[in-house]
Amino acid sequence: MKSKPTSFDIAYRAGVSQSTVSRALRNSPLVNEETRLKVQAIARELNYKVDKNASNLRSQQSSTLALLLFEDPTNDDSLINPFFLSMLGSITKACSDKGYDLLVSFQQMNDDWHAEFEDSNKADGIILLGYGDFVDYEEKLEQLIEQDTRFVRWGAQVESLPIVSIGCDNFHGGYQLTEHVIMNGRKDFAFFGEASSHAPEFFDRYKGHCKALTDNKLGINAARQLDAISTEDSGYQAALKLIASGEPFDAVFGASDLIAIGAMRALQDNGYQVPEQVAVIGFDDIPMASFTFPSLTTAKQNTKLAGELLVDSLIKLIHGEPVKTTLMPTSLIVRKSCGS
């Protein structure tokens, strides 16, 4: 007896993915008209009938949200940026308050994670934390959109894609930190952190930093912008390069607390006094920032509110309610590393 045709048979004949077949058969606007008509014609030719029971099963909600954490280079074996650890607690609490279970999955960027939840009943939606190189990550986001996946992410707004992001005002945070240090009499700034589209949060912090410099009639020296990823070692190495360059500097802005902490250690190891000779500032306000010597001036991101907004926004998406990208303000946390 000949078996009944499946959506995979249609996908093979049409030269498209099975998920595209599913969308075409339900007239999703994400499938262009030519492909949709081709898929539907093949379905009629094969006398394909949608399995209503299977369709209903896939549409059932699991009351579970999935949190995908992405691998970060760290000084220990955790491979998780300390900034995300506090947010993880907030997300877990917010899920519990809303009656949802949380499925936490640790991902590498080269994993096929964008397809992991397609046509599965593991979770009703996904929260994304971290990403590495944003250019590579953006391609994964496009695939999630193509699959009709309901997801929200922590990070800078992505104007090129119709996705919901929860993030902080990195530009204003960079501006506020820099202006505070300028008011303390510093004028020769170095910035450690990649300033490009590969790292949009760092780039926004750099833009805010540069705007504060120009508003205060201070020059921007490109030779003192050194790329660094969010690790202590990367900040340490950036500081060594700055020292070796011979460029004058009296302030260092680390694009994250980890970068700033590493830079501060390198400066002290090479005879610089912080903050007497060099002011150092970071960004994030991770718990370690208040225990460095001297304690680190930084911009605080509200991880409790961030977790709540991520969960609330995803649940609204799941229920078909309108949701928009949210930009949270940062708070200036003044400690001893910048002199006041």
Side-chain angles (χ1 to χ4, degrees):
M1 182 182 293
K2 186 178 180 180
S3 60
K4 293 192 300 183
T6 68
S7 60
F8 291 97
D9 296 323
I10 300 172
Y12 178 77
R13 290 273 298 271
V16 298
S17 67
Q18 189 272 340
S19 58
T20 298
V21 170
S22 298
R23 288 193 294 272
L25 293 178
R26 65 175 185 265
N27 294 311
S28 168
L30 292 176
V31 180
N32 65 59
E33 184 179 9
E34 180 182 355
T35 300
R36 178 170 52 83
L37 293 175
K38 180 180 179 181
V39 167
Q40 292 175 352
I42 294 172
R44 288 193 297 270
E45 179 185 339
L46 296 178
N47 197 27
Y48 173 78
K49 303 294 183 185
V50 176
D51 186 337
K52 297 296 184 182
N53 290 329
S55 179
N56 289 338
L57 180 62
R58 283 195 300 270
S59 66
Q60 289 178 1
Q61 292 187 356
S62 64
S63 295
T64 299
L65 304 183
L67 172 63
L68 270 58
L69 272 166
F70 293 91
E71 179 181 288
D72 270 315
T74 58
N75 291 333
D76 56 25
D77 294 331
S78 71
L79 298 180
I80 299 176
N81 187 322
F83 171 72
F84 290 130
L85 291 177
S86 57
M87 197 180 296
L88 174 59
S90 175
I91 291 171
T92 304
K93 175 69 164 56
C95 283
S96 177
D97 291 344
K98 296 291 184 179
Y100 279 79
D101 291 326
L102 183 66
L103 173 64
V104 180
S105 179
F106 190 67
Q107 304 289 322
Q108 293 181 335
M109 188 49 63
N110 58 2
D111 287 344
D112 195 23
W113 55 266
H114 62 280
E116 178 69 17
F117 295 88
E118 181 185 4
D119 294 328
S120 78
N121 211 33
K122 285 184 178 179
D124 302 330
I126 302 173
I127 297 171
L128 304 174
L129 291 184
Y131 57 79
D133 188 321
F134 186 79
V135 173
D136 295 334
Y137 173 75
E138 193 169 18
E139 295 179 5
K140 304 280 192 178
L141 297 181
E142 291 171 351
Q143 290 168 313
L144 286 177
I145 295 169
E146 182 183 344
Q147 294 165 192
D148 292 333
T149 305
R150 291 164 294 201
F151 71 97
V152 297
R153 59 177 293 274
W154 169 260
Q157 182 177 1
V158 184
E159 296 181 358
S160 60
L161 296 175
I163 61 178
V164 176
S165 298
I166 307 297
C168 82
D169 192 340
N170 291 289
F171 180 92
H172 180 260
Y175 187 101
Q176 189 178 34
L177 278 165
T178 303
E179 187 172 58
H180 174 77
V181 179
I182 291 171
M183 293 301 103
N184 284 328
R186 309 304 171 102
K187 61 180 181 178
D188 294 321
F189 282 76
F191 183 94
F192 297 165
E194 186 166 0
S196 77
S197 59
H198 291 268
E201 283 89 357
F202 284 7
F203 200 10
D204 283 346
R205 293 167 195 177
Y206 181 67
K207 291 175 183 176
H209 164 70
C210 292
K211 183 67 163 59
L213 292 177
T214 56
D215 284 355
N216 286 276
K217 298 180 172 52
L218 295 177
I220 300 169
N221 187 339
R224 293 198 294 252
Q225 184 274 310
L226 298 171
D227 287 348
I229 60 174
S230 194
T231 67
E232 293 169 71
D233 183 64
S234 191
Y236 192 97
Q237 296 302 322
L240 294 183
K241 289 179 183 178
L242 177 64
I243 293 169
S245 73
E247 291 284 342
F249 64 95
D250 59 12
V252 169
F253 187 156
S256 75
D257 287 347
L258 290 175
I259 293 173
I261 291 168
M264 186 157 58
R265 182 161 56 87
L267 292 170
Q268 292 168 332
D269 286 352
N270 284 272
Y272 290 84
Q273 294 182 326
V274 179
E276 290 81 4
Q277 291 176 282
V278 183
V280 178
I281 50 178
F283 206 107
D284 289 335
D285 195 32
I286 61 174
M288 193 191 311
S290 61
F291 293 102
T292 58
F293 183 80
S295 55
L296 184 64
T297 293
T298 185
K300 180 180 181 64
Q301 302 191 73
N302 189 334
T303 54
K304 179 178 184 297
L305 177 60
E308 293 169 353
L309 289 173
L310 285 165
V311 172
D312 287 347
S313 297
L314 182 55
I315 292 173
K316 287 179 180 178
L317 276 180
I318 291 168
H319 291 107
E321 300 175 24
V323 188
K324 62 181 181 179
T325 288
T326 301
L327 204 61
M328 305 186 308
T330 59
S331 302
L332 177 64
I333 306 297
V334 178
R335 298 193 180 102
K336 295 182 179 180
S337 67
C338 65
S340 67

